[in-house]
Amino acid sequence: MPSRVEIILHESEILKTNFLRDPHVRRTGVYLPAAYDGVKRFPVVYLLAGFTGRGTMMLNESAWNENIQQRLDRLIATNAIQPLIVVLPDCFTKYGGSQYINSEGTGRYEDYLIQELIPYIDAHYKTIPERERRGIAGKSSGGFGALIQGMRHPETFGAVACHSGDMHFDLCYRADFPPTLNGVKKYGGMEKFLETFREARPKKGDWHAILSTVGYATCYSPNPETAWGFDLPFDLETGEWNEAVWARWKAWDPIELIPQYANALRSFQILYLDCGTRDEFNLQYGARTFCARLQRAGIPYQRQEFDDGHFDISYRYDVSLQAFSDAWRA
Amino acid sequence: MPSRVEIILHESEILKTNFLRDPHVRRTGVYLPAAYDGVKRFPVVYLLAGFTGRGTMMLNESAWNENIQQRLDRLIATNAIQPLIVVLPDCFTKYGGSQYINSEGTGRYEDYLIQELIPYIDAHYKTIPERERRGIAGKSSGGFGALIQGMRHPETFGAVACHSGDMHFDLCYRADFPPTLNGVKKYGGMEKFLETFREARPKKGDWHAILSTVGYATCYSPNPETAWGFDLPFDLETGEWNEAVWARWKAWDPIELIPQYANALRSFQILYLDCGTRDEFNLQYGARTFCARLQRAGIPYQRQEFDDGHFDISYRYDVSLQAFSDAWRA
Amino acid sequence: MPSRVEIILHESEILKTNFLRDPHVRRTGVYLPAAYDGVKRFPVVYLLAGFTGRGTMMLNESAWNENIQQRLDRLIATNAIQPLIVVLPDCFTKYGGSQYINSEGTGRYEDYLIQELIPYIDAHYKTIPERERRGIAGKSSGGFGALIQGMRHPETFGAVACHSGDMHFDLCYRADFPPTLNGVKKYGGMEKFLETFREARPKKGDWHAILSTVGYATCYSPNPETAWGFDLPFDLETGEWNEAVWARWKAWDPIELIPQYANALRSFQILYLDCGTRDEFNLQYGARTFCARLQRAGIPYQRQEFDDGHFDISYRYDVSLQAFSDAWRA
Amino acid sequence: MPSRVEIILHESEILKTNFLRDPHVRRTGVYLPAAYDGVKRFPVVYLLAGFTGRGTMMLNESAWNENIQQRLDRLIATNAIQPLIVVLPDCFTKYGGSQYINSEGTGRYEDYLIQELIPYIDAHYKTIPERERRGIAGKSSGGFGALIQGMRHPETFGAVACHSGDMHFDLCYRADFPPTLNGVKKYGGMEKFLETFREARPKKGDWHAILSTVGYATCYSPNPETAWGFDLPFDLETGEWNEAVWARWKAWDPIELIPQYANALRSFQILYLDCGTRDEFNLQYGARTFCARLQRAGIPYQRQEFDDGHFDISYRYDVSLQAFSDAWRA
């Protein structure tokens, strides 16, 4: 009997009201290994999609890469990993993503994940419902989400993997600000952009920079009092810097959070990070800085660098899932 | 009752032997409209994926675009089109695609499509099995395939739509040759490239140019006598031009084929072409040239240009499917 | 009698010792208008070249643009400006430029300009040796230099023009730091880069980012105690940010200096700034921020934006020189 | 006594009438070595500038490269070459260059060079007025010009050097045609482009492609009967290919001309070609093809490839001038 993926329509109470009026019913993928028989219990891993992604997109087919089901099937069949349940949450928002945190500018996605989705999964599937057999992993904004949720909920997760995760915001996010300044003009101003960005064609260059800036601002510096629901760390006309707003962003920068979450970080069975040496968003420097600081704090971790960029790197899950599995099999 | 997509594993006799040893069992998508009840018959449209694509990839989810099922559901629900069966064939090859033609360097994909897949669909689904209710459409290399197969099989297809289809090869394919010349060196020669291209990371710049050149050469200028199975229209060391090989490619250029297939072209209920004015492969000039020649030959057609590039343009199916449907409802 | 340009070999005492061991004899251009007869006195303008430039390069010929002599000849011949003496100083350094300031990491270029070159010019040419008839202007790093030297020496200059000048360092300089991080690796480390950058071929992409970062660091954060003579505001391995070093850079950012030099700024006959709306270094935001702050401080200025980028914009001197001339003719 | 460069205003009879109404008085540079005393005679080399260049631009200063005078001074001072006279002709046209040939669409630049400039130089300077001591060299379109004029006038030149010269037109020129098609629209049509191209800002991307296409068309496929004075090898609206016009271009492609000029090619003391392995216009393939054909024809030549692109490669003159000098010293 082969593995299967169930696509469930998961209904959230928490998301019933959310600032962006995004749907509260979420298509969520649940991978059940071939060995899943409704009796035996398995460890569970939550895989978080990156910005502009939903979990179910990891099921998309492509020409040269396995999708997540094919990947898991192979890893399990070759005994590289033990059979696992894998959950693919949907925390997408109107502007591309929630960063998996609670925000007045988007919704309570952390609460949704921790208080609703995980209990639901544990209730409806044969997981081993313990932190020591529950992992969280992700790539890019999903790597950020995995790390942040791991740090904030060590009672929930025992293993964390962050692939090319957002961090060192000065290096990864600021690069989008000049093209945002330049691009917003072309789209006729921010208001116009927010109204029309879905129809913009082709979605090139500036478009991504503006959307990213908007999406992150809704998460890190929401301001429901304003027209758009968020503050920007710079003036859209003059580019003048607003350090107070930027400080709100940096309050979420993993490289700044180690002292605050040192106990959690120390508690993991596995704390794994990796990044490509040619990451288009310079996230390798974030990973290096984060790990240099872990080291200074005496917190154990595993880190790899690989010769690649930021995109099409789902093959890195082979490494992190194996690290999880090894820890759990031990 | 909602629409559904069946993913069938279609077994081919014709593809059992093929030069590239690609699989002969093909995952094929079949969209059945909500109204499909196993009794009533519906027109059928074959949608051909572009280079590096398989039909089922049209079912992939994305952040901002409908997949083909969502698109068809909406078009039918709003009565923009009548209920249709839509088939998503898989004619992918090891090097990215078959161009939907028979070739010694790939396999007999035209025969597979016409002699095996279509009869199978007509036998197993409630199609209206007549050319007057059978259309073929595609984008990019799929648009090329739709046009070529339409021209070669007017007995099979009554309606043809070509979105941003490969044509005017001098403008669309030649641009890949200099980066192929430059890139092959970096990958350590053609032989090395052919062995390692699937693992190359990241798949950027030259990589696409080389793979495209290789893929098209396997279709247009196969040579099973050679080490690689194909000839190139230029010398890989000096770039010297080989007009004889290029003539084999051009024998497939739609802009050259109008006289040969004039009767077929004249016979269609719908002959629709469109292309973006910012097509990254300059295909708008191909469409203009093709249609200028149709006009000189007195062959009717519909053509649109739209303000976009080559990618993420599946919304163009709204126009072509509606043209098909209008013709069939009339 | 036509205008003429004298190229003088100006010998500096101040530059005899300088950290980078750059030459102390400097080829300096002096434009003398057709009306110059050795008797009549003329206002004088100092034109400062940008980063990687020397004053005499403004005499270079090009296909589509006037050089500075042709430009001045035309402006004077059409009476757009009065006859002027124009001086083209050389403050180039081994790493691309001095920013026209004193620095332990380069040399005392401010002192050279103010204490040696200007007195020399006044002594050897028929200038009107008064601040009310002495202007300073430049483009890019030369625009920065003009503004900084104007602010620091209002006793010397009565008119200042800054074209696309370096300012708002957060927006204009930081963009070079990620490619510097990435690029230094490719060149085999900073030490290797500093040894070989002149021979690097082609001088593309990263190369410019690294050289700029190095050049500015020698000016803004010199450190003669270190191997290279300068500190960087980030760690070359991890990218960790060094706010203390960055604060030394920002101490030179014109947008931060208005309070300190408010009196000087208020004293100018002409304070002119402009920038292209498509400046590749985002300097239009610097100009907007600087001028917004001038306005809040009640300091008069003239500002223009023009539809162009950062390069090949010497035609902007037509505007600034005319502003100078108008003020002086009044 | 140092070397000197005389800038002469050379008046041409031949250019008095020319289709583009370009000036018939040409600023021409003449380098006279330090040893030049008005008595002793020296070999002479004609250096031809590339497209959009004039000979005197080789005297421009730059941050990291020698200009031609500095280069020659060094080569002579170090005895790498013997003292030479070097002439820097101006064959620029309104649209960027004459390719140094006679054309109804530009003017009789070949005749100007051979019949007027060279006799003038021989009459006014102490050259050794013999083919065995007269060389011609150039880069890019100047390399093309050197090769073409060498082939057509072996009675005039004994030594030829072609650096990164235009050849294999299918690879080097065609790449400009798609951006020309796309770009002309943006500029409001060809007529508008021809009127306004000098003022276009910034001169980026398409601009260069269009101007190159126009410039070469005025040389290779002039047509004084048409509005613009030239024919294009493609239709500006549909991109349809015009093989007859292209054949006129190819009639000037050096790789096609070897049989026609075999005797001339065989007659040179030195026939030197080189090109960078990363040439942005793919000219390395032209050089390889040209030399492969020379070899098949049994014609001796020297060829080098170097690890660089197309720009800032004047250091390659060190090699060709030394080859000339060695041959002449022998």
Side-chain angles (χ1 to χ4, degrees), chain C residues 41 44 46 117-125 127-129 134:
Chain C
R41 291 189 171 270
V44 61
Y46 290 79
L117 183 62
I118 292 175
Y120 178 92
I121 294 293
D122 284 339
H124 290 77
Y125 294 93
T127 61
I128 304 173
R134 191 185 293 113

Side-chain angles (χ1 to χ4, degrees), chain C residues 92-149:
Chain C
F92 188 71
T93 75
K94 182 181 174 187
Y95 295 136
S98 65
Q99 302 296 93
Y100 304 93
I101 65 175
N102 291 342
S103 161
E104 282 186 284
T106 55
R108 290 166 48 211
Y109 287 89
E110 172 176 343
D111 292 348
Y112 165 66
L113 197 66
I114 304 296
Q115 298 173 18
E116 288 189 332
L117 183 62
I118 292 175
Y120 178 92
I121 294 293
D122 284 339
H124 290 77
Y125 294 93
K126 290 292 174 186
T127 61
I128 304 173
E130 300 161 9
R131 90 179 281 269
E132 283 78 15
R133 291 297 181 274
R134 191 185 293 113
I136 187 162
K139 198 215 114 183
S140 197
S141 286
F144 167 85
L147 190 54
I148 287 285
Q149 292 314 316

Side-chain angles (χ1 to χ4, degrees), chain D residues 216-289:
Chain D
Y216 302 142
T218 60
C219 299
Y220 302 138
S221 53
N223 186 346
E225 309 296 304
T226 63
W228 311 322
F230 56 84
D231 289 329
L232 291 174
F234 50 84
D235 184 285
L236 268 174
E237 177 61 23
T238 64
E240 275 193 274
W241 192 244
N242 188 325
E243 190 63 36
V245 174
W246 186 236
R248 297 179 66 195
W249 289 49
K250 299 251 282 192
W252 287 101
D253 189 341
I255 67 170
E256 307 295 348
L257 300 180
I258 293 173
Q260 191 176 341
Y261 295 111
N263 287 340
L265 287 162
R266 227 181 292 274
S267 78
F268 296 128
Q269 302 159 293
I270 295 288
L271 172 58
Y272 176 87
L273 294 97
D274 67 14
C275 193
T277 53
R278 291 181 275 171
D279 190 279
E280 285 85 353
F281 302 100
N282 306 305
L283 293 166
Q284 68 272 43
Y285 302 106
R288 288 181 197 167
T289 298

Side-chain angles (χ1 to χ4, degrees), chain B residues 148-304:
Chain B
I148 288 284
Q149 292 313 317
M151 291 194 292
R152 293 171 62 83
H153 297 285
E155 78 291 352
T156 303
F157 304 107
V160 170
C162 170
H163 299 286
S164 309
D166 300 14
M167 57 184 76
H168 207 330
F169 290 0
D170 275 311
L171 278 174
C172 66
Y173 289 155
R174 273 190 187 230
D176 281 335
F177 297 164
T180 295
L181 283 163
N182 294 326
V184 162
K185 276 261 160 93
K186 289 187 215 157
Y187 286 100
M190 180 59 84
E191 200 146 326
K192 195 77 184 297
F193 177 82
L194 295 179
E195 277 165 23
T196 60
F197 76 95
R198 293 181 69 102
E199 281 69 44
R201 309 267 171 215
K203 291 178 167 49
K204 273 192 180 174
D206 297 338
W207 189 94
H208 291 283
I210 305 173
L211 188 76
S212 299
T213 300
V214 164
Y216 302 142
T218 61
C219 300
Y220 302 137
S221 53
N223 186 346
E225 310 296 303
T226 63
W228 312 321
F230 55 86
D231 290 328
L232 291 174
F234 50 85
D235 184 285
L236 268 173
E237 177 62 23
T238 63
E240 275 192 276
W241 192 244
N242 188 325
E243 189 63 36
V245 174
W246 186 237
R248 296 181 64 197
W249 288 50
K250 300 250 283 190
W252 287 101
D253 189 340
I255 66 169
E256 307 295 347
L257 300 180
I258 294 173
Q260 190 176 341
Y261 295 111
N263 287 341
L265 286 161
R266 227 180 292 275
S267 77
F268 296 129
Q269 303 158 291
I270 294 290
L271 172 58
Y272 175 87
L273 294 99
D274 67 15
C275 194
T277 52
R278 290 180 276 171
D279 191 278
E280 285 84 353
F281 303 99
N282 306 305
L283 293 165
Q284 68 272 42
Y285 302 106
R288 288 181 198 168
T289 297
F290 187 80
C291 290
R293 293 181 181 186
L294 285 179
Q295 195 155 29
R296 284 181 228 147
I299 296 169
Y301 64 90
Q302 296 176 29
R303 184 171 78 92
Q304 291 190 12

Side-chain angles (χ1 to χ4, degrees), chain C residues 151 250-251 253-266 289-290 293-294 296-299:
Chain C
M151 291 195 291
K250 298 251 283 192
D253 189 340
I255 67 169
E256 308 295 348
L257 299 179
I258 293 173
Q260 190 175 342
Y261 296 111
N263 287 340
L265 287 162
R266 227 181 291 275
T289 297
F290 187 81
R293 294 181 180 185
L294 286 179
R296 284 181 227 146
I299 296 168

